[in-house]
């Protein structure tokens, strides 16, 4: 883990994040086969890179090897003026999954002390569900093809 650093994603990371998504698409799982799927994915990456909520993991050569692409829930922000974070993509390259990269990414987003939601699709093969549970997330909803995990900050953390 000593050779991995983390920071927030920026638009400069678009190329690396797209490469990571293509590399891990089968494990996430997400479809990027059609032109419209690719356009949707690239748009989401761009939105998350500008939202300043998305931590990325860098290897020793400063390559992006993991990311939690996240955005503020606009409905919660607009109606209740509360910050809620929705993670739309969680990806870590296969060579870095055993290094604790997911834990670093998850802890980085939890430092915001806001509720966090992560959808884990059936067929996800990165071990994300186990990492979420290990970081205090719980399943709030199970639908056909996905589970929704939620983390809520402690009451004292919200008040601080």
């Amino acid at each position: 883990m000593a050779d991995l650093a983390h920071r927030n994603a920026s638009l400069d990371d678009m190329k690396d994040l797209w490469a990571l998504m293509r590399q891990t698409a089968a494990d996430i799982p997400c479809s990027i086969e059609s032109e419209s799927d690719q356009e949707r994915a690239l748009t989401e990456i761009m939105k998350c890179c500008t939202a300043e909520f998305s931590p990325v993991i860098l290897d020793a050569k400063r390559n992006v090897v993991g990311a939690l692409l996240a955005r503020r829930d606009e409905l919660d922000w607009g109606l209740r003026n509360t910050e809620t974070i929705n993670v739309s993509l969680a990806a870590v390259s296969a060579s870095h999954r055993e290094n604790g990269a997911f834990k670093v990414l998850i802890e980085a987003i939890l430092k915001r002390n806001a509720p966090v939601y992560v959808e884990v699709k059936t067929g996800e093969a990165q071990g994300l569900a186990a990492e979420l549970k290990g970081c205090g997330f719980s399943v709030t909803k199970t639908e056909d093809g996905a589970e929704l995990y939620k983390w809520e900050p402690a009451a004292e953390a919200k008040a601080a």
Side-chain angles (χ1 to χ4, degrees), residues 80-159:
R80 295 185 280 222
N81 198 29
T82 59
E83 188 168 270
T84 301
I85 300 169
N86 292 320
V87 174
S88 58
L89 176 77
V92 172
S93 68
S95 61
H96 289 85
R97 290 182 192 153
E98 300 300 318
N99 295 349
F102 266 129
K103 185 173 181 164
V104 170
L105 290 168
I106 293 166
E107 288 174 352
I109 213 161
L110 297 183
K111 287 180 182 176
R112 297 190 71 93
N113 283 325
V116 179
Y117 289 90
V118 182
E119 182 182 70
V120 178
K121 295 178 184 176
T122 301
E124 195 278 338
Q126 301 179 99
L128 179 59
E131 292 287 346
L132 292 171
K133 290 174 186 174
C135 290
F137 281 75
S138 59
V139 177
T140 63
K141 188 176 183 182
T142 301
E143 289 185 353
D144 201 26
E147 291 181 323
L148 184 65
Y149 287 80
K150 180 182 181 181
W151 179 85
E152 188 83 40
E156 340 42 274
K158 284 185 194 176

Side-chain angles (χ1 to χ4, degrees), residues 72-84:
R72 173 187 290 134
D73 185 302
E74 296 299 330
L75 191 59
D76 276 358
W77 183 251
L79 294 178
R80 295 185 280 222
N81 198 29
T82 59
E83 188 168 270
T84 301

Side-chain angles (χ1 to χ4, degrees), residues 3 5 9 11 15-16 30-31 34 50 55 79 98 105 110 122 127 152:
D3 60 341
L11 286 175
K15 181 180 176 185
D16 291 340
C30 71
S31 176
S34 73
T50 59
L79 294 178
E98 300 300 318
L105 290 168
L110 297 183
T122 301
E152 188 83 40

Side-chain angles (χ1 to χ4, degrees), residues 8-24:
N8 278 338
S10 71
L11 286 175
D12 292 337
D13 297 314
M14 285 284 299
K15 181 180 176 185
D16 291 340
L17 289 168
W18 178 239
L20 178 66
M21 188 171 187
R22 286 192 332 252
Q23 176 191 31
T24 60

